[in-house]
Coordinates of all heavy atoms in Angstrom, one line a residue:
V10 N 75.8 82.4 166.3 CA 76.4 83.4 165.5 C 75.5 83.6 164.3 O 75.3 82.7 163.5 CB 77.8 83.1 165.1 CG1 78.4 84.1 164.2 CG2 78.7 82.9 166.3
S11 N 75.0 84.8 164.1 CA 74.0 85.0 163.0 C 74.7 85.1 161.6 O 75.6 85.9 161.5 CB 73.2 86.3 163.3 OG 72.3 86.4 162.3
L12 N 74.3 84.3 160.7 CA 74.8 84.4 159.3 C 73.7 84.7 158.4 O 72.8 83.9 158.2 CB 75.5 83.0 158.9 CG 76.6 82.6 159.8 CD1 77.1 81.2 159.4 CD2 77.7 83.6 159.7
V13 N 73.7 85.9 157.9 CA 72.5 86.4 157.2 C 72.5 85.8 155.7 O 71.4 85.3 155.3 CB 72.6 88.0 157.1 CG1 71.4 88.5 156.3 CG2 72.6 88.5 158.5
H14 N 73.6 85.8 155.1 CA 73.5 85.3 153.7 C 74.7 84.5 153.3 O 75.2 84.6 152.2 CB 73.4 86.5 152.7 CG 74.4 87.6 152.9 ND1 75.7 87.4 152.5 CD2 74.4 88.7 153.6 CE1 76.4 88.5 152.8 NE2 75.6 89.3 153.5
A15 N 75.1 83.6 154.2 CA 76.2 82.8 154.0 C 75.9 81.8 152.9 O 74.9 81.1 152.9 CB 76.6 82.0 155.2
P16 N 76.7 81.7 151.8 CA 76.5 80.7 150.8 C 76.6 79.3 151.4 O 77.4 79.1 152.2 CB 77.7 81.0 149.8 CG 78.2 82.3 150.1 CD 77.9 82.6 151.5
Q17 N 75.7 78.5 151.1 CA 75.6 77.2 151.6 C 76.3 76.2 150.6 O 76.1 76.3 149.4 CB 74.2 76.7 151.9 CG 73.4 77.6 152.8 CD 74.0 77.5 154.2 OE1 74.3 76.4 154.7 NE2 74.2 78.7 154.9
F18 N 77.1 75.3 151.1 CA 77.8 74.3 150.3 C 77.5 72.9 150.8 O 77.6 72.7 152.0 CB 79.3 74.5 150.3 CG 79.7 75.8 149.6 CD1 80.0 76.9 150.3 CD2 79.9 75.8 148.2 CE1 80.3 78.1 149.6 CE2 80.3 76.9 147.5 CZ 80.5 78.1 148.3
T19 N 77.0 72.0 149.9 CA 76.8 70.7 150.4 C 78.2 70.0 150.5 O 79.2 70.5 150.0 CB 76.0 69.9 149.3 OG1 76.7 69.9 148.1 CG2 74.6 70.6 149.1
D20 N 78.2 68.8 151.1 CA 79.4 68.0 151.2 C 79.9 67.7 149.8 O 81.2 67.7 149.6 CB 79.2 66.7 152.0 CG 78.9 67.0 153.4 OD1 79.1 68.1 153.9 OD2 78.5 66.0 154.1
E21 N 79.0 67.4 148.9 CA 79.5 67.1 147.5 C 80.1 68.3 146.8 O 81.1 68.2 146.1 CB 78.3 66.6 146.7 CG 77.7 65.3 147.0 CD 76.9 65.3 148.4 OE1 76.4 66.4 148.8 OE2 76.9 64.2 149.0
E22 N 79.5 69.5 147.0 CA 80.1 70.7 146.4 C 81.5 71.0 147.0 O 82.4 71.4 146.3 CB 79.2 71.9 146.7 CG 77.9 71.8 145.8 CD 76.9 72.8 146.2 OE1 76.8 73.2 147.4 OE2 76.1 73.2 145.3
L23 N 81.6 70.8 148.4 CA 83.0 71.0 149.0 C 84.0 70.0 148.4 O 85.1 70.3 148.1 CB 82.8 70.9 150.5 CG 82.1 72.0 151.2 CD1 82.0 71.7 152.7 CD2 82.9 73.3 151.0
A24 N 83.5 68.7 148.2 CA 84.5 67.7 147.7 C 84.9 68.1 146.2 O 86.0 68.0 145.9 CB 83.7 66.4 147.7
D25 N 83.9 68.6 145.4 CA 84.2 69.0 144.1 C 85.2 70.2 144.1 O 86.2 70.3 143.3 CB 83.0 69.5 143.3 CG 82.1 68.3 143.0 OD1 82.6 67.1 143.1 OD2 80.9 68.5 142.6
L26 N 85.0 71.2 145.0 CA 85.9 72.3 145.1 C 87.3 71.8 145.5 O 88.3 72.3 144.9 CB 85.4 73.3 146.2 CG 84.2 74.2 145.7 CD1 83.7 74.9 146.9 CD2 84.7 75.2 144.7
N27 N 87.4 70.9 146.4 CA 88.7 70.4 146.8 C 89.4 69.7 145.6 O 90.6 69.9 145.4 CB 88.6 69.4 148.0 CG 88.6 70.1 149.3 OD1 89.6 70.8 149.6 ND2 87.6 69.9 150.1
T28 N 88.7 68.9 144.8 CA 89.3 68.3 143.7 C 89.8 69.4 142.7 O 91.0 69.3 142.2 CB 88.2 67.4 142.9 OG1 87.7 66.5 143.9 CG2 88.8 66.7 141.7
K29 N 89.0 70.4 142.5 CA 89.4 71.5 141.6 C 90.6 72.2 142.1 O 91.6 72.5 141.5 CB 88.2 72.4 141.4 CG 88.5 73.6 140.5 CD 87.2 74.3 140.4 CE 87.5 75.7 139.8 NZ 86.6 76.7 140.3
F30 N 90.6 72.6 143.4 CA 91.6 73.4 144.0 C 93.0 72.7 144.2 O 94.0 73.3 144.3 CB 91.2 73.9 145.4 CG 90.1 75.0 145.3 CD1 89.3 75.2 146.4 CD2 89.9 75.7 144.2 CE1 88.3 76.2 146.4 CE2 88.9 76.7 144.1 CZ 88.1 76.9 145.2
E31 N 93.0 71.3 144.2 CA 94.2 70.6 144.2 C 95.1 71.0 143.0 O 96.3 70.8 143.1 CB 94.0 69.1 144.2 CG 93.5 68.5 145.5 CD 94.4 68.6 146.7 OE1 95.7 68.7 146.5 OE2 94.0 68.7 147.8
K32 N 94.5 71.4 141.9 CA 95.3 71.8 140.7 C 95.5 73.3 140.6 O 96.0 73.7 139.6 CB 94.6 71.2 139.5 CG 94.4 69.7 139.5 CD 93.7 69.2 138.2 CE 92.9 68.0 138.4 NZ 91.5 68.1 138.7
E33 N 95.0 74.0 141.5 CA 95.0 75.5 141.4 C 96.1 76.1 142.2 O 96.5 75.6 143.3 CB 93.6 76.1 141.8 CG 92.5 75.6 141.0 CD 92.3 76.2 139.6 OE1 93.3 76.9 139.2 OE2 91.3 76.1 139.0
A34 N 96.5 77.3 141.8 CA 97.5 78.1 142.6 C 96.8 78.7 143.8 O 95.6 78.9 143.8 CB 98.1 79.2 141.7
A35 N 97.6 79.0 144.8 CA 97.0 79.6 146.1 C 96.3 80.9 145.8 O 95.2 81.1 146.3 CB 98.2 79.8 147.1

Side-chain angles (χ1 to χ4, degrees):
V10 177
S11 181
L12 299 176
V13 180
H14 51 79
Q17 300 295 314
F18 291 93
T19 64
D20 291 349
E21 290 72 23
E22 286 168 332
L23 289 175
D25 288 347
L26 283 168
N27 272 303
T28 303
K29 179 175 165 217
F30 289 160
E31 286 296 333
K32 301 182 207 95
E33 301 281 13

